[in-house]
Amino acid sequence: QVQLVESGGGLVQPGGSLRLSCAASGFTLGYYAIGWFRQAPGKEREGVSYINRSDGSKYYSDSVKGRFTISRDNAKNTVYLQMNSLKPEDTAVYYCATTARAYGSSWYRTPLYDYWGQGTQVTVSS
């Protein structure tokens, strides 16, 4: 059974850090590009970051660039999102998803993603 499971979310103070993990089971994550998305209450799901499967190209939304880092460990079938200097506006449910179609300027387009995890809550608050 194909499954993506996010973990690592939680409550953190502004300026703090969290590392999210996206673990795959039932398939080889290394065959796909991976996107991280987030959705805050009352808002649309938005792309946060992306990592390509072949050349390791990475993309970030302007709102997280310089603070978040995406990486992958194909041996562990896992993709990570290191989040530093967190802000209250980063509060959202974070999702990872696989894609074989999104690349370059289309990396953030949710219809191009196929399998999604259930999400992990990140709350940034003092």
Side-chain angles (χ1 to χ4, degrees), residues 31-35 50-53 97-116:
Y31 292 162
Y32 297 91
I34 303 298
Y50 164 104
I51 185 166
N52 185 265
R53 74 171 183 89
T98 67
T99 180
R101 296 173 287 163
Y103 182 75
S105 60
S106 69
W107 72 267
Y108 58 89
R109 294 180 59 196
T110 55
L112 299 180
Y113 287 77
D114 303 305
Y115 296 110
W116 293 79

Side-chain angles (χ1 to χ4, degrees), residues 26-60:
F27 70 103
T28 301
L29 201 62
Y31 292 162
Y32 297 91
I34 303 298
W36 280 100
F37 294 80
R38 66 186 181 187
Q39 188 166 19
K43 294 188 176 181
E44 291 188 355
R45 192 168 296 188
E46 63 172 354
V48 174
S49 186
Y50 164 104
I51 185 166
N52 185 265
R53 74 171 183 89
S54 57
D55 63 6
S57 298
K58 302 175 183 179
Y59 299 94
Y60 300 93

Side-chain angles (χ1 to χ4, degrees), residues 36-124:
W36 280 100
F37 294 80
R38 66 186 181 187
Q39 188 166 19
K43 294 188 176 181
E44 291 188 355
R45 192 168 296 188
E46 63 172 354
V48 174
S49 186
Y50 164 104
I51 185 166
N52 185 265
R53 74 171 183 89
S54 57
D55 63 6
S57 298
K58 302 175 183 179
Y59 299 94
Y60 300 93
S61 66
D62 288 343
S63 60
V64 308
K65 199 172 296 182
R67 301 187 297 121
F68 291 11
T69 302
I70 191 170
S71 62
R72 66 192 307 159
D73 186 337
N74 289 338
K76 294 184 177 180
N77 225 23
T78 301
V79 171
Y80 304 97
L81 185 69
Q82 178 66 43
M83 306 187 298
N84 298 330
S85 303
L86 283 161
K87 305 175 181 180
E89 50 264 42
D90 295 318
T91 296
V93 178
Y94 283 71
Y95 302 88
C96 63
T98 67
T99 180
R101 296 173 287 163
Y103 182 75
S105 60
S106 69
W107 72 267
Y108 58 89
R109 294 180 59 196
T110 55
L112 299 180
Y113 287 77
D114 303 305
Y115 296 110
W116 293 79
Q118 83 292 345
T120 185
Q121 176 71 47
V122 171
T123 303
V124 185

